[in-house]
Amino acid sequence: MTKLGLYFDVRNPPQWRRPYPELYQRTLELCVRADRAGMHRIWLTEHHGFDDGYLPQPLTLAAAIAARTERVRLGTAVLLAGLRHPVQLAEEAAIVDIISDGRLDLGVGTGYRPTEFALFGIDDSKRFAAVESAVREIVRLWDEEIVTPRPVQDPMSMWGGFFGPRGARFAGELGMGLLAIDPRLLEPYRAGLEAGGRPADTARMAGVLSVVLADDPEAAWPRIAPHVAYQADSYNRHAIMGTDQNPFPPADPERMRNPKPGREPRVVVATPDDAAAFIRRRVAGLPVEEVFIWATIGAMPDDVVDRHLELAVELRDLLLEDD
């Protein structure tokens, strides 16, 4: 049984820009709709200095969502722990957990953009060690009640968004879930669980897949493709900001959807039935607790997003039917 969540980055691309209060109100409305529809979790991501306003403070938005929802869990995938003082992070996370009555999933990661660390005046050469230290300190601050109030959850539900064996092992050692759907990381993750005194079969994974749901995927694709290309180009451009050249060619959404034989598509536009089959294939043999899909990719048209989220309820039910 694989649960289904939704992923928000709250982008506001220049070519489709709307007033930010309107964008955030729309985002909150979609989150309330997801809560009422019984979706499992809302995940929020983080970046800084993007020209489209990419969500920079996920816990701030999580608090607003928590105040408007009742059941849906709220996760960060990921919060860049190395950019914050552990005391600040421990306090902010605790407040979100209190407002939500224990519905926070604190997912942390290292980050990869030098410009973001420079913006905060932080050396990025030791970013992984900084995250390790921050996570251990946050847990200590809660356990020893150095910061108050404490979270509702004891222990807090925590996830590690790491994409290499070192991070996977570290997530296991601390008993965190692993925010990656990657079979290559399962062995080091389980080894970390055992090193931390936990059974290997307590492993739990989750991750994002770029799936857009539509009644007629071929008819919907021309309206979705420009937004898929925008998202890919934006990630590429911001990954190399501060350098003199952009080594990436413009994104080809057709190739992203229909890659060469033997390669997985980077975006899937499908009916709920076909999307469920794709997800089952991707998670086969892995202890995947949840897959989350973008609520919108690159600010897709509102009517496309609305139908995508309506069909997400059907996809959720199909995945819950699996043993």
Side-chain angles (χ1 to χ4, degrees):
M1 180 177 68
T2 304
K3 298 172 183 176
L4 185 68
L6 298 175
Y7 201 25
F8 289 83
D9 56 12
V10 204
R11 287 171 175 260
N12 200 6
Q15 60 267 53
W16 302 298
R17 182 146 294 172
R18 61 176 69 185
Y20 274 99
E22 178 184 323
L23 173 64
Y24 272 80
Q25 184 59 41
R26 162 83 172 162
T27 300
L28 290 170
E29 290 171 355
L30 293 177
C31 292
V32 170
R33 191 183 308 174
D35 180 54
R36 292 174 178 170
M39 300 300 290
H40 182 244
R41 193 155 19 210
I42 289 168
W43 292 96
L44 305 174
T45 182
E46 174 185 354
H47 271 303
H48 299 270
F50 272 55
D51 54 0
D52 60 10
Y54 198 121
L55 178 61
Q57 297 295 335
L59 287 177
T60 302
L61 181 55
I65 298 170
R68 290 164 172 79
T69 57
E70 297 178 356
R71 297 175 296 173
V72 67
R73 294 194 63 84
L74 309 171
T76 55
V78 289
L79 185 143
L80 305 181
L83 299 182
R84 295 168 175 81
H85 193 284
V87 171
Q88 177 190 353
L89 183 47
E91 291 177 341
E92 289 184 352
I95 295 302
V96 175
D97 200 51
I98 291 167
I99 294 172
S100 66
D101 195 17
R103 289 185 279 133
L104 178 64
D105 292 273
L106 185 61
V108 300
T110 58
Y112 61 90
R113 297 178 64 235
T115 53
E116 291 181 325
F117 289 85
L119 186 63
F120 283 80
I122 295 173
D123 179 6
D124 71 326
S125 64
K126 299 180 180 178
R127 60 186 182 274
F128 195 94
V131 171
E132 287 187 3
S133 175
V135 171
R136 295 185 190 278
E137 179 65 3
I138 290 164
V139 172
R140 185 187 73 85
L141 291 168
W142 288 332
D143 287 347
E144 298 181 12
E145 298 191 52
I146 296 172
V147 298
T148 58
R150 287 177 53 114
V152 172
Q153 298 177 91
D154 185 15
M156 170 68 75
S157 173
M158 298 187 73
W159 294 78
F162 307 117
F163 302 102
R166 175 185 174 184
R169 182 180 176 90
F170 170 68
E173 289 175 353
L174 289 189
M176 305 167 78
L178 184 62
L179 284 170
I181 303 177
D182 187 341
R184 297 170 296 180
L185 300 182
L186 183 56
E187 182 177 346
Y189 176 44
R190 284 177 168 165
L193 287 167
E194 292 178 337
R198 299 172 179 85
D201 62 7
T202 61
R204 56 194 179 110
M205 304 173 84
V208 62
L209 294 177
S210 292
V211 173
V212 180
L213 301 166
D215 297 291
D216 185 339
E218 295 308 318
W221 174 241
R223 301 185 66 203
I224 296 168
H227 300 268
V228 168
Y230 169 82
Q231 185 192 62
D233 284 333
S234 175
Y235 274 128
N236 288 341
R237 183 175 71 257
H238 284 277
I240 51 82
M241 282 181 65
T243 63
D244 294 331
Q245 296 182 347
N246 183 350
F248 300 103
D252 182 349
E254 296 297 334
R255 182 168 293 181
M256 293 173 66
R257 189 184 180 204
N258 299 293
K260 296 179 180 179
R263 296 187 178 183
E264 289 284 358
R266 291 175 58 190
V267 62
V268 171
V269 181
T271 63
D273 283 330
D274 289 342
F278 169 74
I279 291 170
R280 291 178 188 123
R281 185 172 69 251
R282 284 295 307 272
V283 306
L286 297 174
V288 174
E289 173 184 298
E290 178 179 345
V291 165
F292 42 101
I293 59 177
W294 293 102
T296 177
I297 294 179
M300 295 185 305
D302 284 353
D303 63 310
V304 173
V305 172
D306 289 341
R307 187 55 181 156
H308 165 62
L309 297 185
E310 290 171 357
L311 293 173
V313 177
E314 295 184 26
L315 175 59
R316 176 207 61 193
D317 291 343
L318 289 169
L319 296 175
L320 290 177
E321 291 174 358
D322 297 340
D323 293 332

